[in-house]
Amino acid sequence: MKFGTRIIHTGHEIDPTTGALSVPIYQTSTFAQESVDHFGKYDYARSGNPTREALEETIAQLEGGSRGFAFASGMAAISSALLLFSPGDHLVVCEDVYGGTFRVLTRLFSRLGIESTFVDATDLGAIEAAFRPNTKGLFLETPSNPLLKITDLAGAARLARARGALTLVDNTFMTPYLQRPLELGCDIVLHSGTKFLNGHSDVICGFAVTRDEELCTQLAFIQNGFGAVLGPQDSWLVLRGLKTLKVRMEESQRSAVAVAEWLAAQTRVPEVFYPGLASHPGAGVHARQAGGPGAVLSFKLESVALTRRLLEGSTLAAFAVSLGGVESIISYPAKMSHAAMPPEERAARGVTDTLVRLSVGLEDADDLIAELDSLING
Ligand SMILES: *Cc1c(COP(=O)(O)O)cnc(C)c1O
């Protein structure tokens, strides 16, 4: 069955006990056991909760994995997956990785003896050159944040596999509707479910998904041991949000294409970064590995003054951190997602003071463009 059908008919669409068309919220921390010798499937809700499990099975199925794990945030999912590595291990990481991931790698995991090298992952040669004998992982984001750079996932995963390293992909921007890294040979998919998966700007959550049995066992051990699990209320909200993932992504993407094309024609907008534009250097690779360019784009304005006017004057797009909601969100990477990155690092990565990121929501594209026009050209 196709994605649109599978997202509704997940295997959890009817509660077997009551026939309810919504997964019950098991708001419990523990489960009574019948006998000393035989414990039931559930014993303590950190280890397993039926509401969370329905969500975990759903995300696993959508990503083409065998198991999914729900965490209290995207960073909890990413940090938990990074606990697969040990002191002395080395990671190769795409250079415009999410700011929070950069922060845990350079300030937390580095202290634990896990070293990272940041590379331009649009270049498979650069990835290959960064491998060392102790490289155990390759961490990618494509399209990357905030410059929407594209990495050839199948090519990169092949390089890593040949060297015995795992490939981890943060698939937040695409969601499994548009891109499924496990099907391209990657080992672990990570998400900030806070963004498009939940989609309504009302939950913080994260996911890890894999299809490898050994990795499933290890991630289950880490999830239970480290304990950064998602609660049942939030799990239920994400299950509800997920039901409309396809229609939200389709509509937001259609508007994002219109906005990107309009921006690209404006003289006060010297650069637009969006893999849906033919001029994007990664457009070809992206089209081969993903079902569409998504709903996030970024662009540079001609001056800092104009950048400020746009950010502070925008009413349809909220000036805020985050993305992937039903409402458009305009953000300022230099002071928001990449504030954790030292200014020199940020400048070297092209995250300038005139760069703006726009996550296109479900407003009418004509209205979004009219407001951008009045703020940029008015
Ligand atoms: C938001 C985000 C994260 C972090 O997720 P949280 O849910 O905020 O912890 C990680 N990666 C990407 C690409 C993100 O956009």
Side-chain angles (χ1 to χ4, degrees), residues 73-75 78 98 141 170 172-173 192 194-195 204-205 323:
S73 68
M75 285 318 305
I78 290 167
Y98 177 73
E141 244 180 87
D170 181 335
T172 300
F173 274 36
S192 170
T194 310
K195 316 295 167 53
I204 298 282
C205 71
L323 57 103

Side-chain angles (χ1 to χ4, degrees), residues 37 48 121 131 154 164 176 189 204 229 248:
D37 296 323
F131 270 86
V189 174
I204 298 282
V229 296
R248 286 187 285 105

